[in-house]
Structure formats: structure tokens, C-alpha cells
Amino acid sequence: MELFDNEVFKMFFYENRLKTFEGWPFDEDCACTPENMAKAGFIHTPSDNSPDIAMCFSCHKELEGWEPDDDPEKEHKSHSPSCYFINLKKNVEDMTMEEFLKLLKEKEDFILNKNMEDTINKFKEAAKVKRDEIVKSAMGEE
């Protein structure tokens, strides 16, 4: 990873996160406006089945099923209490270099842990399938 690659840092900035909320189902007269979502660190990551999926750019926590009265900051904090970005409560422009580097480290830690978790789960599933095959073979059920 190039340390200061523009793509790595793009979503660190509020304006870039806000741009992702095109087509967001909540706009006015509610708590989860695009502006509030972006301030809380979310980017809009809709799917065909769920037009209201939002993911934190830092901790990668995905939330969906938003209601108009949901407060994005409170929801983020309650579903991802260890997210450094939401706990820091600062715009990237106002962070010290130490805070910025810690944010980058935490973001990378979340990604690595998620990848490791996914790999472990795939391994466990493959092991279960293989075990079931061995048991069936041993019992003569092929």
C-alpha cells in the first residue's frame, strides 16, 4: 500500500463520503440525512435488495434498515463502540498527525481482522463439509 495513496484516504473526507449518498432514501425532515450520515463516518453502499445500506469508512460496520428518526452518530456508536473515528469526533482536517495515523491504523486493523474472520469461517465450513464426507464414507453411505 502506498502510504498516501489518494484512494486510501478519499473517504476520510466528509465531502467525498457525502457524494456517495446519491439515491439515499432519506433526505429532509429526518435525522438520517445524507449530511448526518456522512458526518457520522458513513458511506452509502446500496444493493439491489437494500437501498439504505451504509458502511463506516473506518471500521467497515454496515448498517441497514434505517428509520427516519435514527441518529447516525448514536447508531454508529451503539453498533461499533470501538470505532476510533466515531469516538474521536473530529473532522480529518482537525486531527493531529498522531490521531490521523491512529485512524489509519485502526482502519487497517478492522480490514485485516475482517479478512481473517472470513478466512477462518471459510476454513471451518470446508472442514465441516469434508468431515461429513468422511463420516458418510466410513458408514458406507456414499
Side-chain angles (χ1 to χ4, degrees), residues 8-139:
V8 172
F9 297 114
K10 190 175 177 182
M11 292 304 156
F12 278 49
F13 297 95
Y14 165 80
E15 295 80 15
N16 292 329
R17 293 192 303 271
L18 183 59
K19 289 176 189 173
T20 69
F21 282 90
E22 187 174 309
W24 180 247
F26 305 99
D27 50 15
E28 295 177 13
D29 299 325
C30 64
C32 57
T33 62
E35 293 79 11
N36 289 339
M37 296 293 289
K39 283 178 191 168
F42 288 110
I43 56 176
H44 188 205
T45 56
S47 70
D48 290 339
N49 297 334
S50 297
D52 70 339
I53 296 176
M55 178 183 78
C56 173
F57 81 95
S58 178
C59 70
H60 289 236
K61 181 66 177 179
E62 283 188 325
L63 298 176
E64 64 181 308
W66 290 88
E67 299 290 332
D69 293 334
D70 287 341
D71 180 314
E73 189 174 322
K74 287 180 183 175
E75 292 296 324
H76 191 170
K77 183 111 174 131
S78 77
H79 290 279
S80 189
S82 63
C83 178
Y84 184 69
F85 175 80
I86 201 66
N87 288 317
L88 188 59
K89 295 184 181 178
K90 282 187 176 181
N91 290 326
V92 171
E93 298 86 354
D94 300 326
M95 290 181 191
T96 65
M97 182 56 82
E98 182 179 359
E99 291 167 336
F100 182 80
L101 291 173
K102 179 160 176 143
L103 178 62
L104 180 59
K105 178 200 171 296
E106 294 293 320
K107 177 180 172 44
E108 292 301 317
D109 283 351
F110 276 111
I111 292 168
L112 288 171
N113 286 330
K114 173 107 174 75
N115 289 340
M116 183 175 58
E117 204 175 282
D118 290 347
T119 300
I120 289 169
N121 287 336
K122 286 177 187 175
F123 177 81
K124 285 180 178 179
E125 184 58 34
K128 182 184 178 309
V129 168
K130 185 52 95 177
R131 181 185 186 285
D132 291 346
E133 289 173 4
I134 292 169
V135 168
K136 283 181 182 178
S137 177
M139 297 179 78

